[in-house]
Amino acid sequence: MRTMPECETLFDKARGLLLDPLAGGESLALEFAGESSDFLRFTGARVRQIGCVQQAGVRLTYYRDGRTVGAGFELSGNKKVDAERAARILAEVRRQAGFLPEDPWQVLPSASEQSRGEFPGRFPGPDQLADEVLAPGRVTGEAGADFVGIHSQGAVCRGAANSRGARHWFAAETFCTDYSAWLPGGKALKSSYAGRQWDAGEYRKRLESAAPRLKALARPEKIIPPGTYRVYIAPEALAEFVPFFSWNGLGERSMREGESAWRALREGRRTMSPLFRASQDFSLGVEPRFNELAEAAPERLVLVEGGKLAATVVSTRSAKQYGVPSTAAPEDERVRSLVIDPGRLDAEKAVDVIGTGLYISNLHYLNWSDYDSGRITGMTRFACFWVEDGKIEAPIRDMRFDESIYHLFGDKLLDASHQRILVPDTGTYMLRSLGGSLLPGLLVRDFTFTL
Amino acid sequence: MPVQLKRLLESCVPKGVQWAGLRVVRTSRRMYAAKDGRFDVAFQGFDEGCMVEVLHEGQFGYAAIGSLDPAAVRTAAERALALARAAGPRAVFRFGPDVRPATVLRFESPRKQPLEQAADRLAGHAVKLTEAMRISEKIVQAAAAYELRDVETRIVSTSGADIEQEVHTVISWAQAVARDGAVTQRRTANGWFARVHQGGTELLNLEGSIPEAVQLAGQAIELLSAEECPSARMDLVLAPDQMMLQIHESVGHPLELDRILGDERNYAGSSFVKLSDIGTLRYGSPLMNITFDPTVAGEAACYGADDIGNTARKEHIIRDGILVRALGSLESQARSGRPGVANQRAQDWYRPAIDRMANLNHEPGDSGFEDIIASIRKGIFMQTNRSWSIDDHRNKFQFGCEHARLIEDGKLTRLIRNPNYRGVSSSFWRSLVKVGDASTFAVFGTTNCGKGEPNQAISTGHASPVCAFRDVEVFGGES
């Protein structure tokens, strides 16, 4: 399996293959995304699928005569094959630049900074992988629960460079065991163990801590009628709202093109609670600051503060189009490394503070249900409980909610916990994701459940 | 594919395996997008890699690499074996090589124009289309995109499989966003990248796309002043470009056999359907007929064999409302003892194949569109999916559409904006009361059906006639 230094060598080879042949009048920016990962998928504490994936992809943006052409290809690691692929791609982007319409918002790469971060890790080898991940799962079995999930581990690498000399590299050896423990009646709790240094003892401890929580889940289920309820939304549940800061979210382009559900905040027609403050903050250290044009974003960007929109995320292209400063956002203007400020609530006393209402541990399948009013719908999932007079009474049958961000983070927000959790991004679409969010729990009144 | 894959396989098979296979995938893509009468994106991609699979004492192991270099493939195969060997004592099921059939076949999507020849003019056409859509200052965004994909897959195995498949896909999309003060409305060409079909640019009717896009822009503007969808229970008529989502979320996903077996519980969820329901469950009214059909010309997920080499053919999944078969591959069939279909599919070379939808369709019935409308006293006709959410057992859902008209005393009347509806899958399909005939049938799909751990997204096809459902809860946006 490719090591971090081997990935970096491949990145530098790609830089040479794509940047060295450029002639006068040509510019180029490239980004590299690679991984060497083992995956162990399990169900019932047994192996469903096991394997490994080694990928190294390059995406580039080529500029000439006011034309902009994007392209991408996979690096094989074979010198001859990669040279042929790079040459083929360069020939094609040059050909297309000959007939494409002019790009009205083209901004040539201008960043020239360099950065490098490498974070080694340690985890089980292929011969020990199944035993190390699954053997401790017998703890959940002893509690009467099925152990289901995915373990991924290995090197995850990102790089960016451009024809102005910028070069950025970020590589980390990480692991993540994302799992759930399922009782025979269908109730489950979910958790994860992620980091860079695998500690079998720590892993076992986390699994053992599930047993008392599973006991509460085994109680008879309570059916809650639709209505509004006082709720505590745990950080892992709040994490399901994080994508909505990006999707039809706080990107400048989305605001201008009428798609953002946060437009009412921007236009002053709605406000958020003064308790709610959200920022993009790379000091979390979970992902690189650079984008596909090798621009580095500021370490911190306050997005919402004092009830108002403080900033949008702005790509260089949008900056030109709309005449606003760039925040070196990626082209898709997604919010990265989201941090929501803590409050005063003690999370250990969340159940007390709810009084009577719902403890929401996880949510599922959220989607915008109405953009103009900022409404999001979704389902409760896993270990959500009905709480009465400050005591957990029963797990609930899953409910559908439909609530506006202007209520959730606005007039219905009562407090946030002062403890926060770093919830990693566990997505593995195409590649293992980097990133995560630092989130408190939220106490909210009159949260709307519809079905 | 120039590499001699059989020779490559022979050179890389490690000693001591029951079976080994290579799945090589080569993908070419081109995409063009425009916005507001100007160029936006041009993208060209090329990808090639190899998934090596071995079977050792009943446990599969896999290794995926972006190379066909013999030494690299050999190393990958050794690692796949090491992982399979270590996992063997903890296997959830002991498979045999019979779940990797020795199929020999060739499949290619019919296409009149190869990608390279046809694509160049699309960038300019997208610009023209979006320029035409800017019919008013109220249009704040006019966007269009075209994407062409060629995917070549070659599978060889030690048991004799030799499969070559070339799938050519064309995708088109257009969107108009209109705004008036605090109100925003959007109209798209049948939903988010829902016009995904196998074939070439001959499917794209470029001339006709301009007046159609202008009409979309006009509808977006009309919706600005339309009535908000009422909150009430009424009969619901769904156009094919919303039926596609209804089928996908509340029929397709709950019937994936690996879900029913519990594999997806940690991520995408499980199902309200149990193994014992297969063959007996009344899923919907007697008018409901759902087929798994890899043979519908031009539909997004046609193929000759799935990614483990099982030959694909049309099968009824729900017949006259009764669940007769689940969407389960050879592996799931072996684990469950239930019949299935050829649906073990992978996003690309870098993901292992799992149970997926492919083309999943509602067969036409015998009601004309006018007859369906005329049969309804109080109802609503909704078109084009905009929003979707469903629980992890695939039961409680909430869907939203872009465009609707009330049905009053058998006639289509007032334009409605922000139409949404919610229901429960296990009872919703039993309220199916009318199924449109072939004249109402249309073929759509999606390119981003997500599932699996590690995650993967895949294209699926969904064809359906217009359908009517009795007494559904509908509601609108916040006023």
Side-chain angles (χ1 to χ4, degrees):
Chain A
M1 296 286 276
R2 222 174 254 148
T3 62
M4 291 190 293
E6 286 168 341
C7 284
E8 191 171 8
T9 301
L10 210 50
F11 166 56
D12 285 328
K13 286 207 169 110
R15 283 173 60 227
L17 288 171
L18 292 169
L19 297 177
D20 292 349
L22 295 180
E26 295 182 313
S27 303
L28 190 142
L30 67 117
E31 60 173 334
F32 173 97
E35 70 178 85
S36 291
S37 299
D38 292 325
F39 294 103
L40 165 57
R41 185 179 193 191
F42 52 94
T43 182
R46 302 195 77 79
V47 177
R48 172 63 190 102
Q49 288 179 315
I50 189 166
C52 58
V53 174
Q54 185 168 275
Q55 288 180 262
V58 173
R59 289 178 78 103
L60 59 108
T61 312
Y62 170 82
Y63 309 85
R64 193 191 81 202
D65 298 332
R67 272 75 181 169
T68 310
V69 192
F73 64 100
E74 181 73 17
L75 291 163
S76 69
N78 179 295
K79 212 160 128 177
K80 182 165 173 284
V81 168
D82 290 345
E84 281 167 1
R85 290 179 179 180
R88 174 180 157 176
I89 280 287
L90 269 180
E92 179 58 24
V93 297
R94 282 168 168 153
R95 187 186 76 83
Q96 293 207 26
F99 68 80
L100 283 173
E102 205 169 308
D103 179 359
W105 313 120
Q106 184 186 77
V107 180
L108 296 180
S110 60
S112 56
E113 295 84 9
Q114 312 220 337
S115 74
R116 188 175 182 281
E118 193 169 274
F119 305 93
R122 191 193 70 237
F123 21 75
D127 294 339
Q128 296 87 32
L129 183 59
D131 284 346
E132 292 248 0
V133 173
L134 296 180
R138 90 174 147 266
V139 167
T140 58
E142 284 160 7
D146 255 0
F147 187 47
V148 185
I150 176 107
H151 174 89
S152 56
Q153 63 181 35
V156 182
C157 307
R158 302 283 189 271
N162 67 30
S163 45
R164 288 299 304 269
R167 182 192 183 279
H168 297 282
W169 180 249
F170 182 102
E173 289 174 335
T174 66
F175 70 86
C176 178
T177 315
D178 185 71
Y179 61 89
S180 45
W182 291 82
L183 292 171
K187 290 296 181 195
L189 62 84
K190 185 162 170 72
S191 194
S192 64
Y193 173 48
R196 295 206 308 270
Q197 307 292 330
W198 175 261
D199 181 337
E202 174 63 26
Y203 177 55
R204 196 173 309 114
K205 213 162 57 166
R206 288 182 188 225
L207 293 180
E208 283 165 358
S209 74
R213 292 188 288 150
L214 281 169
K215 269 205 184 109
L217 267 182
R219 296 177 199 169
E221 176 183 81
K222 186 173 174 69
I223 297 172
I224 310 290
T228 59
Y229 295 89
R230 188 174 168 97
V231 302
Y232 179 78
I233 299 173
E236 291 88 346
L238 187 59
E240 295 293 327
F241 288 96
V242 168
F244 295 81
F245 287 75
S246 299
W247 174 27
N248 297 105
L250 295 173
E252 180 66 27
R253 191 178 314 122
S254 183
M255 291 281 188
R256 299 277 185 152
E257 289 180 350
E259 295 208 85
S260 173
W262 299 72
R263 196 166 58 88
L265 186 68
R266 160 103 140 201
E267 293 170 1
R269 289 182 280 112
R270 303 296 289 259
T271 55
M272 297 302 190
S273 165
L275 300 173
F276 180 71
R277 188 165 185 246
S279 310
Q280 176 172 272
D281 190 341
F282 289 99
S283 69
L284 285 185
V286 293
E287 62 187 308
R289 290 166 48 195
F290 53 84
N291 65 13
E292 64 275 293
L293 302 181
E295 302 164 331
E299 186 170 77
R300 196 149 180 271
L301 178 70
V302 178
L303 300 166
V304 179
E305 182 176 45
K308 297 183 178 161
L309 182 71
T312 56
V313 284
V314 188
S315 67
T316 300
R317 191 182 167 78
S318 290
K320 178 168 181 178
Q321 183 171 1
Y322 302 115
V324 297
S326 165
T327 65
E331 179 57 25
D332 61 7
E333 294 185 337
R334 67 188 182 275
V335 171
R336 298 172 286 170
S337 292
L338 181 73
V339 170
I340 293 179
D341 276 20
R344 298 157 304 186
L345 189 83
D346 183 353
E348 304 282 315
K349 298 193 166 80
V351 172
D352 281 334
V353 174
I354 290 170
T356 297
L358 289 148
Y359 182 98
I360 309 290
S361 64
N362 302 88
L363 294 168
H364 175 67
Y365 218 143
L366 277 59
N367 203 327
W368 291 110
S369 65
D370 186 74
Y371 298 113
D372 284 346
S373 58
R375 251 182 33 225
I376 296 174
T377 186
M379 293 293 301
T380 61
R381 195 181 182 189
F382 295 118
C384 297
F385 293 97
W386 175 250
V387 175
E388 214 158 288
D389 299 324
K391 287 189 168 43
I392 285 183
E393 284 294 316
I396 61 164
R397 181 168 296 180
D398 284 323
M399 290 290 289
R400 172 165 296 286
F401 73 88
D402 199 340
E403 188 59 89
S404 168
I405 54 171
Y406 299 110
H407 293 318
L408 172 64
F409 303 132
D411 58 338
K412 291 185 180 180
L413 178 62
L414 296 173
D415 205 346
S417 64
H418 64 77
Q419 300 97 326
R420 292 183 293 178
I421 290 175
L422 178 60
V423 182
D425 185 344
T426 57
T428 49
Y429 283 101
M430 311 215 22
L431 286 156
R432 287 169 61 211
S433 296
L434 290 165
S437 308
L438 184 64
L439 303 172
L442 297 185
L443 182 69
V444 178
R445 68 173 175 84
D446 300 326
F447 193 73
T448 308
F449 289 95
T450 55
L451 181 65
Chain B
M1 218 175 268
V3 175
Q4 297 302 318
L5 280 178
K6 285 186 190 170
R7 217 175 297 147
L8 179 62
L9 175 65
E10 282 158 20
S11 73
C12 81
V13 176
K15 289 193 174 52
V17 301
Q18 291 172 267
W19 172 95
L22 301 181
R23 174 166 52 86
V24 176
V25 184
R26 176 191 282 181
T27 303
S28 299
R29 286 178 65 204
R30 283 175 72 175
M31 190 215 183
Y32 298 106
K35 221 174 249 187
D36 302 328
R38 295 174 133 181
F39 168 88
D40 190 33
V41 173
F43 182 86
Q44 157 93 30
F46 171 79
D47 189 11
E48 183 175 55
C50 178
M51 169 64 81
V52 184
E53 254 200 322
V54 301
L55 180 64
H56 173 78
E57 294 182 5
Q59 175 66 50
F60 284 105
Y62 67 83
I65 52 167
S67 173
L68 296 181
D69 179 81
V73 176
R74 210 157 28 242
T75 304
E78 295 287 351
R79 192 167 180 98
L81 175 58
L83 289 166
R85 190 184 282 129
R90 296 182 183 274
V92 74
F93 190 84
R94 298 219 174 279
F95 293 107
D98 57 315
V99 299
R100 297 290 186 270
T103 302
V104 178
L105 71 75
R106 191 159 194 293
F107 171 89
E108 183 173 359
S109 320
R111 178 174 71 174
K112 294 197 173 113
Q113 288 178 304
L115 184 153
E116 287 78 19
Q117 283 177 24
D120 288 356
R121 59 197 163 115
L122 293 176
H125 187 79
V127 171
K128 212 163 116 184
L129 198 76
T130 59
E131 177 59 48
M133 290 161 78
R134 298 175 76 217
I135 58 174
S136 157
E137 280 177 0
K138 290 184 178 172
I139 297 294
V140 294
Q141 184 202 134
Y146 296 100
E147 184 178 339
L148 305 178
R149 291 183 196 169
D150 286 347
V151 181
E152 289 179 64
T153 306
R154 180 86 191 277
I155 296 170
V156 293
S157 76
T158 51
S159 54
D162 188 348
I163 298 167
E164 280 186 65
Q165 309 204 88
E166 284 190 61
V167 173
H168 310 300
T169 304
V170 59
I171 304 163
S172 64
W173 173 79
Q175 167 169 282
V177 179
R179 182 164 72 200
D180 187 358
V183 179
T184 310
Q185 289 292 310
R186 175 172 84 177
R187 275 299 268 143
T188 65
N190 302 113
W192 177 255
F193 288 88
R195 289 191 185 177
V196 48
H197 298 99
Q198 285 194 17
T201 51
E202 68 276 1
L203 298 178
L204 284 178
N205 187 14
L206 293 182
E207 288 311 307
S209 65
I210 294 181
E212 184 194 30
V214 170
Q215 188 181 44
L216 285 179
Q219 288 180 352
I221 292 170
E222 281 179 334
L223 284 167
L224 291 173
S225 53
E227 275 175 56
E228 196 67 47
C229 184
S231 293
R233 296 195 71 93
M234 57 181 73
D235 292 349
L236 172 65
V237 180
L238 296 179
D241 61 1
Q242 171 58 18
M243 279 300 295
M244 66 140 282
L245 194 281
Q246 187 70 50
I247 291 166
H248 184 96
E249 296 290 355
S250 74
V251 180
H253 278 309
L255 294 182
E256 288 160 346
L257 194 42
D258 62 348
R259 263 183 200 260
I260 297 172
L261 290 169
D263 290 0
E264 285 282 334
R265 282 175 289 175
N266 189 58
Y267 177 62
S270 52
S271 176
F272 66 90
V273 174
K274 302 181 293 297
L275 276 183
S276 55
D277 290 333
I278 300 169
T280 59
L281 177 67
R282 173 155 289 287
Y283 205 101
S285 81
L287 296 176
M288 185 180 189
N289 284 282
I290 299 284
T291 52
F292 171 90
D293 192 350
T295 67
V296 176
E299 197 164 345
C302 294
Y303 47 80
D306 68 7
D307 287 326
I308 57 166
N310 194 12
T311 309
R313 59 178 171 271
K314 181 177 178 175
E315 298 279 5
H316 256 88
I317 304 299
I318 295 171
R319 189 191 293 277
D320 302 328
I322 302 295
L323 175 63
V324 297
R325 185 182 292 262
L327 296 169
S329 66
L330 289 177
E331 286 187 17
S332 295
Q333 292 168 42
R335 288 167 66 197
S336 67
R338 301 296 198 278
V341 293
N343 71 325
Q344 195 155 343
R345 305 173 65 205
Q347 172 176 347
D348 211 314
W349 57 267
Y350 48 81
R351 287 290 179 265
I354 57 174
D355 288 350
R356 301 309 300 257
M357 285 176 256
N359 291 339
L360 192 70
N361 304 333
H362 197 301
E363 295 292 306
D366 52 21
S367 297
F369 179 70
E370 289 75 21
D371 292 337
I372 292 173
I373 301 299
S375 72
I376 291 172
R377 192 186 64 79
K378 178 187 173 196
I380 186 165
F381 172 52
M382 292 191 190
Q383 290 176 280
T384 315
N385 178 257
R386 184 178 80 172
S387 169
W388 63 100
S389 174
I390 193 164
D391 73 22
D392 63 329
H393 283 71
R394 297 278 141 185
N395 228 348
K396 288 185 184 178
F397 62 79
Q398 176 168 313
F399 301 140
C401 291
E402 292 178 0
H403 186 278
R405 282 202 181 272
L406 288 179
I407 304 169
E408 295 171 293
D409 297 320
K411 290 186 168 47
L412 288 172
T413 61
R414 290 166 285 156
L415 182 65
I416 295 294
R417 75 176 187 222
N418 300 328
N420 297 278
Y421 65 102
R422 55 173 78 100
V424 177
S425 300
S426 54
S427 53
F428 180 79
W429 285 102
R430 287 177 220 150
S431 70
L432 175 67
V433 291
K434 291 279 186 195
V435 176
D437 60 20
S439 71
T440 72
F441 192 77
V443 180
F444 296 107
T446 178
T447 56
N448 65 338
C449 173
K451 191 189 157 181
E453 294 186 298
N455 308 140
Q456 41 183 318
I458 209 157
S459 292
T460 63
H462 302 293
S464 176
V466 169
C467 290
F469 299 85
R470 183 77 72 220
D471 190 39
V472 179
E473 182 187 350
V474 308
F475 61 98
E478 194 173 271
S479 55

